[in-house]
Amino acid sequence: MIFQSLTNVVTGQITYAVRDTEIEGQKISEGDILGLAEGKIKAVTKDVKETLLDLIKEIVDDDSEYVTLYYGEDVTEDDAEAIAEELEEKYPDIEFSVNYGGQSLYYYIISVE
C-alpha cells in the first residue's frame, strides 16, 4: 500500500546553473535559475520565485492535494511563507506547507502528493 502512495509523489527542485550549456535545445546561462522535475528541466528564469511558480504549474495536476516546500539555506522563512501564501491563493484546493530543509545547492525542494 505504501509503495502505491510513493508513485503518486512528484519531486521538484529549484537550483542554479553552474555553467553555460544547451539542453534539449534550450540555452541555459551560468546563474540561471532552474526548475527540475522527473529528471528534466521544466522551467528556466533569472528569478527564484518565478521559476518556483513556473515549476509548480508544471508538476501539480487535478489529483494534487498536498505540496510541501523545503526551503534551503539561501532562502528566508519569510520569503518561503510568502510564496506559499501566493500559491494557496492560486491553488485553493491544494494544501501547502513550508519546512526548513537547509540544503545548500537547492533553493527549494518540492514534494507534490
Side-chain angles (χ1 to χ4, degrees), residues 14 48 52 68-81 83-84 97-104 106-110:
I14 304 296
V48 172
L52 176 62
T68 305
L69 303 175
Y70 297 93
Y71 64 97
E73 66 182 20
D74 293 329
V75 177
T76 68
E77 182 178 6
D78 288 343
D79 286 346
E81 291 287 350
I83 288 175
S97 64
V98 174
N99 293 299
Y100 179 66
Q103 62 274 7
S104 60
Y106 297 96
Y107 297 103
Y108 290 94
I109 296 175
I110 304 119

Side-chain angles (χ1 to χ4, degrees), residues 11-27:
T11 302
Q13 301 88 22
I14 304 296
T15 190
Y16 57 91
V18 295
R19 66 181 186 283
D20 294 346
T21 190
E22 187 172 327
I23 298 174
E24 297 178 3
Q26 185 170 16
K27 289 188 180 197

Side-chain angles (χ1 to χ4, degrees), residues 38-83:
E38 301 170 356
K40 296 187 184 263
I41 297 173
K42 301 284 189 174
V44 179
T45 76
K46 302 283 185 194
D47 180 75
V48 172
K49 178 182 173 183
E50 183 180 351
T51 303
L52 176 62
L53 296 174
D54 288 351
L55 181 61
I56 292 289
K57 185 171 36 174
E58 290 288 323
I59 63 176
V60 299
D61 61 24
D62 292 339
D63 295 327
S64 301
E65 296 178 1
Y66 304 102
V67 175
T68 305
L69 303 175
Y70 297 93
Y71 64 97
E73 66 182 20
D74 293 329
V75 177
T76 68
E77 182 178 6
D78 288 343
D79 286 346
E81 291 287 350
I83 288 175

